[in-house]
Amino acid sequence: MSEHDVFLADCPARTTLDLVADTWSVVVVFGLGGGPQRYSDLRDRIGGISKKMLTQTLRKLERNDLVERRALATAPPGVEYRLTSLGQSLLGPVSALARWAEEHAEELADDDRA
Amino acid sequence: MSEHDVFLADCPARTTLDLVADTWSVVVVFGLGGGPQRYSDLRDRIGGISKKMLTQTLRKLERNDLVERRALATAPPGVEYRLTSLGQSLLGPVSALARWAEEHAEELADDDRA
């Protein structure tokens, strides 16, 4: 049990949830679940994400120690991202949410969505 | 395995993920995990949510068959919300994410967050 509580507006748990409970963070962390990825490969893999949004999402995750960035000594120079151990701990919940979306997409698409 | 894929921009899985991967949806579904709740009790429990945001979130979840609304024959009249069976299927992933936030809040709060 944690002393933190997502139901409390000013609790660090709420701030932490805010940080990861958005589509791009979920998709990026899920996408790094298989191992390190180059920026360009991530961008190819994640349909519909702009360079700006991918960069912002990676920076946010990096700043919060969920992802680490490594410059590659390649020509041309490349950059690789991987999950930290904290990021790995988030992979389970995030994968469960992404898989739920994949498994139930059909049921939700049948509804009249506004 | 599902034929749907959250990495594809136009896939129903992405639309479905968009629907549930936000803080308020996570907190509301997590809050209904213990059973039906009156609107007023939900509002008391979820710190920092405005009436407008709670109503919008509940309507979105209701429209997508994740939550059902029931008028109560009380005086004054009340309204109760509960998870549907589809909503119950979302409870596992959402609870895992909320608990992760509670368990790791301390580590993330130690970082220099922007």
Side-chain angles (χ1 to χ4, degrees), chain B residues 64-87:
Chain B
N64 288 281
D65 198 26
L66 292 161
V67 156
E68 64 191 12
R69 179 184 189 280
R70 197 163 70 96
L72 298 173
T74 51
V79 178
E80 185 184 82
Y81 291 87
R82 70 172 70 206
L83 296 176
T84 61
S85 58
L86 187 59

Side-chain angles (χ1 to χ4, degrees), chain B:
Chain B
M1 285 294 289
S2 162
E3 72 212 82
H4 296 301
D5 186 344
V6 293
F7 291 110
L8 304 179
D10 298 327
C11 184
R14 175 72 68 81
T15 321
T16 299
L17 185 61
D18 272 334
L19 189 74
V20 297
D22 68 87
T23 301
W24 294 129
S25 298
V26 168
V27 174
V28 168
V29 170
F30 190 45
L32 290 172
Q37 298 252 344
R38 284 168 180 249
Y39 181 89
S40 52
D41 293 336
L42 267 181
R43 179 139 154 72
D44 288 344
R45 182 149 187 225
I46 303 175
I49 198 166
S50 65
K51 278 174 100 153
K52 185 180 172 191
M53 184 53 73
L54 178 56
T55 300
Q56 276 181 2
T57 303
L58 285 166
R59 283 203 186 135
K60 179 187 72 170
L61 296 172
E62 196 188 350
R63 204 162 55 230
N64 288 281
D65 198 26
L66 292 161
V67 156
E68 64 191 12
R69 179 184 189 280
R70 197 163 70 96
L72 298 173
T74 51
V79 178
E80 185 184 82
Y81 291 87
R82 70 172 70 206
L83 296 176
T84 61
S85 58
L86 187 59
Q88 287 284 351
S89 74
L90 177 59
L91 188 58
V94 149
S95 303
L97 194 63
R99 294 214 178 90
W100 180 88
E102 293 176 344
E103 282 160 19
H104 295 276
E106 211 65 56
E107 287 159 78
L108 278 105
D110 287 343
D111 297 337
D112 290 320
R113 289 208 240 197

Side-chain angles (χ1 to χ4, degrees), chain A residues 34-68:
Chain A
Q37 299 252 344
R38 283 169 180 249
Y39 180 89
S40 51
D41 293 337
L42 266 181
R43 177 138 154 73
D44 288 343
R45 181 149 189 225
I46 302 174
I49 198 166
S50 66
K51 279 174 99 156
K52 186 180 172 190
M53 185 52 75
L54 179 55
T55 301
Q56 276 181 3
T57 303
L58 285 166
R59 284 203 185 134
K60 179 187 73 172
L61 296 172
E62 197 188 348
R63 204 162 54 228
N64 288 281
D65 197 26
L66 292 161
V67 158
E68 63 191 13

